Amino acid sequence: MRMSAGVEWGLHCCLTLAWLGDTEAVSTAKLAVWFDLPPAYLNKQLQALNRAGILTSTPGPRGGFRLARRPERITLMDVVAAVDGADDLFQCTEIRQRGAGAEAPVQEFRQPCGIAGAMLRAELAWRRELAAQTLADVMAAAPASAAERARRHHARVSG
């Protein structure tokens, strides 16, 4: 399983916006400079988070993004689903019914195969774990200096 880089980018941007609080919207350009990321691609991730109700956006020259909900109400799974989509990671195509398997009795295929079941259980565990962790949990686990560094950087870039 592999998540897109956009998930990491989205999570870090949400974390930064949480540290900055609700004082003002932060532009895509400032966030892109902050993390040395391509602005156009980062904007796609931020727009996906906006559509999912994780961020709000303000248009215009002083516009940008801020959190739409408190960090305690944003799960890591919310961000993953917003950026990468909510589709199942494993797509069973029932290859066991092709080739030599096409000769097997139909009753062998009434139940999902063990591989599909195992993959589903693993994915559900992964989703539950990400849904159980909030942005506030990540904030609490981060070094205190990270929040202060974010605020100092924002003050320098904004001022």
Side-chain angles (χ1 to χ4, degrees), residues 23-120:
T23 56
E24 63 184 79
V26 180
S27 71
T28 300
K30 286 180 185 176
L31 289 166
V33 166
W34 200 312
F35 294 111
D36 192 24
L37 298 172
Y41 187 64
L42 177 60
N43 192 57
K44 289 180 184 180
Q45 313 316 311
L46 298 175
Q47 290 298 334
L49 294 167
N50 182 58
R51 284 189 299 278
I54 295 167
L55 299 180
T56 60
S57 65
T58 305
R62 299 190 50 78
F65 295 91
R66 55 172 58 101
L67 291 182
R69 305 189 302 245
R70 297 182 44 79
E72 299 82 18
R73 299 193 34 103
I74 300 171
T75 70
L76 301 186
M77 190 67 233
D78 292 338
V79 175
V80 170
V83 173
D84 277 357
D87 293 340
D88 291 342
L89 299 174
F90 181 78
Q91 302 293 321
C92 180
T93 61
E94 277 294 346
I95 67 167
R96 65 186 178 147
Q97 295 183 41
R98 296 189 286 201
E103 299 169 10
V106 174
Q107 47 276 38
E108 279 189 30
F109 307 117
R110 287 203 175 114
Q111 297 292 324
C113 75
I115 292 169
M119 297 302 270
L120 176 61

Side-chain angles (χ1 to χ4, degrees), residues 101-154:
E103 299 169 10
V106 174
Q107 47 276 38
E108 279 189 30
F109 307 117
R110 287 203 175 114
Q111 297 292 324
C113 75
I115 292 169
M119 297 302 270
L120 176 61
R121 286 188 303 277
E123 182 175 341
L124 288 174
W126 175 77
R127 289 180 185 275
R128 272 193 300 268
E129 183 64 24
L130 290 176
Q133 295 180 60
T134 67
L135 197 55
D137 297 330
V138 175
M139 291 171 73
S145 60
E148 184 53 37
R149 187 173 45 257
R151 291 184 198 105
R152 277 195 321 269
H153 178 80
H154 180 67

